Amino acid sequence: MSDEKDSGGPGKLPRSVYEHELYRLQTELVKLQEWVRAEGARLVVVFEGRDAAGKGSTIKRVTELLNPRVARIVALPQPTERERSQWYFQRYVEHLPAAGEVVLLDRSWYNRAGVERVMGFCTMEEHQRFLRQCPIFERMLVEDGILLRKYWFSVSDAVQEQRFRRRLEDPTRRWKLSPLDLESISRWEAYSRAKDEMFVHTDTSEAPWYVVESDNKRRARLNMIAHLLSTVPYEEVTWPAIELPQRPSATGYQRPPRDLQTYVPDHASELCE
């Protein structure tokens, strides 16, 4: 399992301990998934936070062993011109779960309270309207029976910069470094003020924020998953008894000659030479 270098923190977590506990928690996530499907529940998990705070890698661990037909990730691109003319929450509503589904929002409607506010992509009036409407919108979701969980991933400025530098030097992760990411360095305090204002308006009793300290990615993943599991009243679903059928006797089928089909080259064998 690939992993970025652990970023310090209290009592460095050994990889063996981390992987053992991660697998245990992922096993519980499968149980949660089956409960959601059996009960027809609807679960929405919002992942927000600083750039390079570890949201994406945590989402990856959450969904790693889950059924993509039940648990899906929603990461919306920039809105189209048509979407910009709609009610702000409209483009997110169509991605909400139906019965028996889990939706993980890799960033969400909170774009308006963060990047849009700081970068000037929305007007002050639009931002203030969002802060008024968001608690009402989320209250409607909860009252309709949706299980809504919101996580804010917090990272220090020093660790964020370290992760940006690693992305810059790693060709497999350089795509993660966007111009907006670089702006988050020079606008650190502006993002902090925007987040604080957002929490004042949207950290409600119906839909509270849960802050994940994520300077240490391994700890952050375990802490977030363990907390999510503790907040949902799931129960283990009894699996139906399944037996493998007896393979029937051969009836004379013969496989076509191999030279009639095109096979991919055996690249792996070259590694052993």
Side-chain angles (χ1 to χ4, degrees), residues 44 157 183 209:
V44 175
D157 52 355
E183 285 282 353
W209 278 105

Side-chain angles (χ1 to χ4, degrees), residues 257-271:
R258 292 177 63 89
D259 57 7
L260 296 181
Q261 299 173 342
T262 303
Y263 288 82
V264 299
D266 189 3
H267 170 75
S269 66
E270 299 175 6
L271 305 178

Side-chain angles (χ1 to χ4, degrees), residues 11-19 218:
K12 185 175 180 180
L13 197 63
R15 176 177 290 274
S16 59
V17 174
Y18 162 73
E19 292 186 347
R218 293 179 189 171

